[in-house]
């Protein structure tokens, strides 16, 4: 019998509706896709995570105040568009082909984010509609040749923020929020961001087959 999607609540696997009141701005949403490109990213980064977004705002509809609407910033291909965009988390969850995890910031880092949220939001909104940076994405995921003559010019990224791939955008957003300091954002992969020790002890998987994120919350930002 084929395995079934893991949808039952168990310590870090819950349905999105169970989490709507808990998700806050600054929290990270991690994705693990099933496309050919996503499978390539999983292979090169040795990780199940292939894409990231950051929660930037929670709106409460006047007709249903008990059902918050979370907006996320991301640089991606979605809905026939590409580049930096704002999407509704609920819609991304409903349509995504793959795994999705919620990575909540620790309480201390949520507080830090809130103190710097306006600066971070202003930065992110200034990036809206900038193009997706496919070439630096390739460079960030191939680290084995970064220290080899000639090959390093193909795989090592000098920080360039004129275009964006997903984890590069999130790294700078975290830097603007004072959660990161000195870092080459153009070399950051999705799993690099997931491994930063800035989160609560547990993440929560909210879509897909039960899949762990190895190394989660284990690397000090410094």
């Amino acid at each position: 019998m084929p395995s079934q999607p893991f949808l039952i609540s168990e310590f870090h696997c819950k349905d999105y509706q169970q989490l709507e009141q808990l998700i806050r701005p600054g929290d990270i949403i991690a994705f693990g896709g099933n496309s050919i490109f996503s499978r390539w990213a999983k292979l090169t980064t040795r990780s199940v995570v292939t894409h990231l977004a950051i929660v930037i705002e929670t709106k409460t509809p006047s007709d249903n105040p008990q059902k918050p609407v979370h907006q996320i910033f991301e640089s991606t291909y979605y809905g026939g568009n590409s580049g930096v965009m704002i999407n509704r988390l609920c819609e991304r969850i409903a349509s995504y082909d793959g795994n999705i995890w919620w990575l909540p910031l620790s309480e201390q880092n949520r507080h830090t984010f809130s103190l710097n949220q306006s600066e971070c939001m202003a930065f992110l909104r200034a990036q809206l509609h900038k193009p997706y940076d496919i070439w630096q994405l390739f460079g960030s995921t191939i680290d084995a040749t970064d220290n080899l003559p000639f090959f390093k010019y193909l795989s090592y990224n000098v920080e360039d923020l004129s275009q964006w791939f997903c984890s590069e955008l999130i790294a700078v957003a975290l830097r603007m929020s004072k959660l990161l300091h000195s870092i080459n954002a153009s070399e950051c992969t999705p799993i690099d961001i997931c491994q930063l020790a800035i989160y609560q002890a547990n993440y929560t998987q909210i879509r897909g087959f039960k899949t762990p994120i190895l190394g989660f919350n284990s690397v000090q930002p410094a």
Side-chain angles (χ1 to χ4, degrees), residues 97-112:
D97 178 22
N99 297 329
I100 300 178
W101 303 263
W102 166 49
L103 281 53
L105 293 178
S106 68
E107 291 305 316
Q108 178 180 350
N109 284 318
R110 275 183 170 175
H111 177 67
T112 300

Side-chain angles (χ1 to χ4, degrees), residues 2-73:
S3 58
Q4 298 296 315
F6 192 90
L7 299 176
I8 301 174
S9 174
E10 178 188 316
F11 120 82
H12 74 299
C13 292
K14 294 183 179 180
D15 188 76
Y16 172 61
Q17 283 70 33
Q18 297 175 273
L19 305 170
E20 287 178 321
Q21 302 293 337
L22 302 177
I23 297 174
R24 296 288 185 271
D27 291 349
I28 301 300
I29 307 298
F31 299 77
N34 293 317
S35 67
I36 293 176
F37 179 80
S38 292
R39 292 176 183 180
W40 176 87
K42 290 177 182 179
L43 176 65
T44 55
T45 63
R46 299 178 295 280
S47 167
V48 297
V49 180
T50 61
H51 177 61
L52 296 177
I54 185 169
V55 179
I56 56 160
E57 194 171 15
T58 300
K59 294 185 176 181
T60 304
S62 58
D63 60 340
N64 191 353
Q66 299 304 313
K67 191 173 181 62
V69 176
H70 303 293
Q71 292 185 310
I72 56 174
F73 242 100

Side-chain angles (χ1 to χ4, degrees), residues 5-202:
F6 192 90
L7 299 176
I8 301 174
S9 174
E10 178 188 316
F11 120 82
H12 74 299
C13 292
K14 294 183 179 180
D15 188 76
Y16 172 61
Q17 283 70 33
Q18 297 175 273
L19 305 170
E20 287 178 321
Q21 302 293 337
L22 302 177
I23 297 174
R24 296 288 185 271
D27 291 349
I28 301 300
I29 307 298
F31 299 77
N34 293 317
S35 67
I36 293 176
F37 179 80
S38 292
R39 292 176 183 180
W40 176 87
K42 290 177 182 179
L43 176 65
T44 55
T45 63
R46 299 178 295 280
S47 167
V48 297
V49 180
T50 61
H51 177 61
L52 296 177
I54 185 169
V55 179
I56 56 160
E57 194 171 15
T58 300
K59 294 185 176 181
T60 304
S62 58
D63 60 340
N64 191 353
Q66 299 304 313
K67 191 173 181 62
V69 176
H70 303 293
Q71 292 185 310
I72 56 174
F73 242 100
E74 55 185 332
S75 184
T76 188
Y77 290 88
Y78 177 66
N81 299 307
S82 68
V84 181
M85 61 186 76
I86 298 174
N87 292 307
R88 288 187 173 189
L89 177 56
C90 59
E91 293 175 355
R92 292 290 271 133
I93 292 172
S95 63
Y96 193 72
D97 178 22
N99 297 329
I100 300 178
W101 303 263
W102 166 49
L103 281 53
L105 293 178
S106 68
E107 291 305 316
Q108 178 180 350
N109 284 318
R110 275 183 170 175
H111 177 67
T112 300
F113 180 86
S114 67
L115 294 176
N116 300 285
Q117 185 173 354
S118 59
E119 183 178 358
C120 179
M121 286 285 293
F123 159 76
L124 287 171
R125 291 190 180 279
Q127 311 313 310
L128 269 176
H129 311 305
K130 284 190 177 181
Y132 190 82
D133 195 345
I134 188 68
W135 296 113
Q136 285 214 317
L137 172 63
F138 278 113
S140 72
T141 59
I142 303 175
D143 290 334
T145 60
D146 281 358
N147 295 317
L148 298 179
F150 177 74
F151 289 102
K152 68 180 180 181
Y153 298 107
L154 299 177
S155 66
Y156 180 78
N157 291 331
V158 175
E159 190 171 79
D160 178 358
L161 309 183
S162 60
Q163 302 181 71
W164 298 97
F165 60 89
C166 65
S167 47
E168 179 184 38
L169 180 68
I170 302 308
V172 178
L174 294 176
R175 196 163 69 192
M176 298 296 292
S177 306
K178 305 299 188 289
L179 300 183
L180 289 179
H181 297 286
S182 178
I183 189 172
N184 181 351
S186 298
E187 274 287 291
C188 286
T189 64
I191 189 58
D192 291 334
I193 301 298
C194 294
Q195 290 179 341
L196 292 173
I198 60 174
Y199 305 103
Q200 295 181 26
N202 295 320

